[in-house]
Amino acid sequence: MMPRAFSLLGSTVPVDAQRTIRRQVSCVGIGLHSGNKVNLTLKPAPVDSGIRFRRTDLGHHEVPATVHNLAGIQLATGLARNEVSVETVEHLLAALTSVGIDNLVIELNSPEVPIMDGSAAPFIYLIQEAGVKRLQTARKYLKIVRPVAISRGDKRIALFPSDHFKVTYSISYDHPLLRHQSRTLRITEESFAEEIAPARTFTFLKDVEMLRQNGLALGGSLENAIVLGETGVLNNALRYEDEFVRHKILDAIGDLALVGHPVIGHLVAHRAGHALHTEFAMKVLEETQAWRLVESPADATAPVSVPVATVVPGLAN
Ligand SMILES: [Zn+2]
């Protein structure tokens, strides 16, 4: 048995205490859609307050990062409440989840989280600069005890009981570099920082013109996305041979963070995207028989054993 608590500087802190950051940090970047400069500031927040975006340009109105505030999904995941919106939240949310930040205020002076280099690595550096602070209340994990799955055509996503948070993702596109990529990874702070965070978003050159005609991706460039031409990439080099599927894992982690608790389970997805990830996050919360809120990933539960293939036919576990 893991000890339930340990002593730190004379006070008792639960082993899996909620976390915020130690000090305020800021960075500047550009918005992917608008191309405009954006100031981003992360601020410490108290227990049980969750992750909240705050628009400093709109009377400091706040938008909590939960599925209840999901708004339009275009190139990225957006949230809105009371007509105040924030866009492109997923890379930052993935970084925060991996470090275990439960409570935070994210101030923006624009509707968009800056795209930075198209990955989550700059946000990991920013959180490391801020430091992590443990709070005096236990975190609650959302532990999957029965499978949950949805599919739309050949796009599929599911969560299965597991003792850890793991992700298996596979993609296949009609492109020579993307016929098939698949990866399974247990997500920890270290594995995310080394294997997933640096993976950049990608787009197809043929789509870029269409996006721009619609006033989207005005801030997009080879500095913040991998651009795929007909046979290869326009960028100098990839950061990983399978950078594409790694970025899909990053997106899925960020979108699933909208359930509002760290998830203990095995997320398995094939050809999904923001629309399916976020629809799935809503479905998970609705399926209250499929999970329990627990204070430790090791808390005993009775996972229901159902073969993966019976839930999502053709999907390898
Ligand atoms: Zn992304």
Side-chain angles (χ1 to χ4, degrees):
M1 276 292 285
M2 289 273 290
R4 294 296 305 149
F6 64 93
S7 178
L8 184 72
L9 300 175
S11 64
T12 300
V13 180
V15 171
D16 291 307
Q18 293 184 27
R19 296 173 175 197
T20 186
I21 55 172
R22 193 162 287 283
R23 68 189 75 82
Q24 174 176 324
V25 282
S26 299
C27 71
V28 179
I30 61 163
L32 176 62
H33 286 331
S34 64
N36 292 338
K37 197 175 112 177
V38 184
N39 294 314
L40 168 76
T41 299
L42 308 183
K43 292 185 162 179
V47 292
D48 295 330
S49 60
I51 308 284
R52 288 172 293 144
F53 291 90
R54 180 185 286 162
R55 288 280 302 275
T56 57
D57 58 326
L58 286 179
H60 289 63
H61 279 293
E62 291 191 345
V63 184
T66 77
V67 290
H68 308 296
N69 295 324
L70 269 171
I73 308 285
Q74 286 183 300
L75 293 184
T77 300
L79 303 171
R81 190 173 74 154
N82 300 333
E83 297 179 16
V84 174
S85 66
V86 287
E87 304 285 338
T88 321
V89 299
E90 65 274 15
H91 301 164
L92 177 55
L93 292 181
L96 293 170
T97 297
S98 78
V99 181
I101 302 296
D102 305 282
N103 306 293
L104 191 73
V105 169
I106 303 165
E107 287 191 348
L108 294 167
N109 68 338
S110 137
E112 291 186 86
V113 175
I115 190 66
M116 310 309 287
D117 67 350
S119 82
F123 298 130
I124 293 287
Y125 300 138
L126 195 64
I127 298 162
Q128 286 171 346
E129 191 187 323
V132 171
K133 182 180 181 187
R134 286 169 184 265
L135 300 168
Q136 298 284 330
T137 301
R139 161 189 294 157
K140 287 205 166 44
Y141 294 89
L142 190 148
K143 181 158 183 166
I144 300 296
V145 295
R146 295 179 192 214
V148 193
I150 54 175
S151 59
R152 295 282 176 268
D154 64 349
K155 301 174 194 294
R156 302 185 288 267
I157 187 165
L159 261 168
F160 300 94
S162 168
D163 290 337
H164 313 286
F165 181 40
K166 276 197 301 190
V167 182
T168 295
Y169 215 113
S170 57
I171 56 174
S172 58
Y173 291 94
D174 183 20
H175 187 280
L177 288 181
L178 296 176
R179 294 271 184 262
H180 182 76
Q181 288 191 355
S182 178
R183 177 165 284 271
T184 295
L185 191 69
R186 179 178 164 188
I187 306 300
T188 64
E189 183 175 345
E190 293 75 24
S191 73
F192 183 87
E194 288 170 18
E195 308 280 345
I196 301 299
R200 293 163 296 171
T201 191
F202 58 95
T203 186
F204 296 94
L205 183 60
K206 62 184 168 56
D207 294 336
V208 171
E209 198 53 36
M210 185 193 71
L211 289 167
R212 294 209 163 155
Q213 281 170 6
N214 289 305
L216 298 170
L218 299 177
S221 75
L222 294 177
E223 302 298 313
N224 53 37
I226 305 167
V227 180
L228 287 143
E230 281 188 14
T231 57
V233 300
L234 276 60
N235 310 65
N236 286 332
L238 294 176
R239 293 177 176 176
Y240 309 94
E241 195 183 348
D242 62 349
E243 189 169 354
F244 309 97
V245 74
R246 290 176 192 242
H247 188 81
K248 297 297 282 190
I249 292 175
L250 196 173
D251 281 341
I253 293 169
D255 289 334
L256 189 64
L258 295 171
V259 300
H261 294 277
V263 171
I264 305 298
H266 185 182
L267 182 71
V268 183
H270 175 68
R271 288 190 56 121
H274 292 303
L276 198 61
H277 297 160
T278 51
E279 182 185 348
F280 182 66
M282 273 190 278
K283 162 105 172 159
V284 169
L285 279 192
E286 286 164 10
E287 298 272 324
T288 54
Q289 299 299 309
W291 47 268
R292 310 247 188 286
L293 286 182
V294 299
E295 291 190 355
S296 164
D299 271 7
T301 52
V304 178
S305 180
V306 178
V308 169
T310 64
V311 180
V312 185
L315 193 60
N317 191 5

